[in-house]
Amino acid sequence: KSVTGSDADATGVTPTFITATGGTPCSGAIVCTNYKVHTFTGPGTLCVSAVGNPAGSDTVDYLVIGSGAGGGQAVWTGGAGLQGGGGGGAGGYRESSGKASGCYSIGLPANSCVSALSVTATGYPIAVVAGGAGGTGATSEPGNVGTSGGNSVFSTITSNGGGGGGNLDQVGIDGASGGGVGSGGTGRVAGVGNTPPTSPSQGNPGGEGLPSTCHHGGGGGGASAAGIPGGSAPSPANGCGGAGATSVITATPTARGGGGGGGPHGTNTTQGAAGLGGGGASGVPGGGVGAAATANTGGGGGGNSISGGTGPGQNAGGNGGSGVVVIRYKFQ
């Protein structure tokens, strides 16, 4: 029926809306006039004080990203040449479709049918943790694996941490996105992504290493693509981190969830495109330190590189990036 002179919609129902506090409100918490966004860059609580109805709003959209893993440290005391540790895997990337709070461009097409979450008038604890540390401290072969990232949590949604990057010959660790594995050793199996499994997938596997010297380490897996295998140096196309994803849930396009680059030989590897993982360190004589991922992107840290016989243990993998939780809903 038609209704005039009141706030009721065409069905005769008066719209009511969600009211909540917590986190860091984006642009005064008002996005596109009718939508609020709360961003959590660390632990906190989304305090919902009122729940609306379907004519107004009673569900929230979310972006939940786990923290990225550290890149691997490769230690090698052999002859001439360089070896590289694997890049760290990105933290899990989970996002709803945006249909509950006005359509926005989500990061991954596979998430276009993911439902928003219903909320009640209560406090929702938010978990956001630091990224995993890069491998460091080893003074003998094969070096140390990067530390895996930690989980980010909102309500029933958990995005897991990325898997640590491998050292000279150990496997990359499984995680939301898997860690890449270093070059030159015997156990060159990259970390498996989407671990534990979610649907749609929260991440991708890391890249493989290669068995001989003078190769890049494998890149860490990213939100939207697997890490690139190590491959023959000095090609910059090898060993790069898997691509992340770009969402505009905050009304500003932001890239998150890229894998870390593998430790390079000769030519730098790069972070995952659109994701701000750490790039692999420069493969200069003596090696280099892997780059850290950008905070609150869930990116993986870059693997280190080391040249044979130059003093093992002086280099480290880069640290992973911390996670983030973003909540969006219609408030008027």
Side-chain angles (χ1 to χ4, degrees), residues 63-88:
L63 173 65
V64 180
I65 298 180
S67 65
Q73 177 203 24
V75 174
W76 181 54
T77 57
L82 282 159
Q83 302 287 14

Side-chain angles (χ1 to χ4, degrees), residues 72 83-87 183 215-218 239 261-265 267 269 280-281 302-305:
Q83 302 287 14
S183 63
H215 287 83
H216 302 303
H265 171 80
T267 301
T269 63
N304 87 314
S305 61

Side-chain angles (χ1 to χ4, degrees), residues 10 23 75 87 117 121 124 152 165 171 185 188 234 254 276 279 289 301 324:
V75 174
L117 288 180
Y124 290 88
S152 292
V171 299
R188 298 165 305 280
T254 305
L276 304 184
V289 177
V324 69

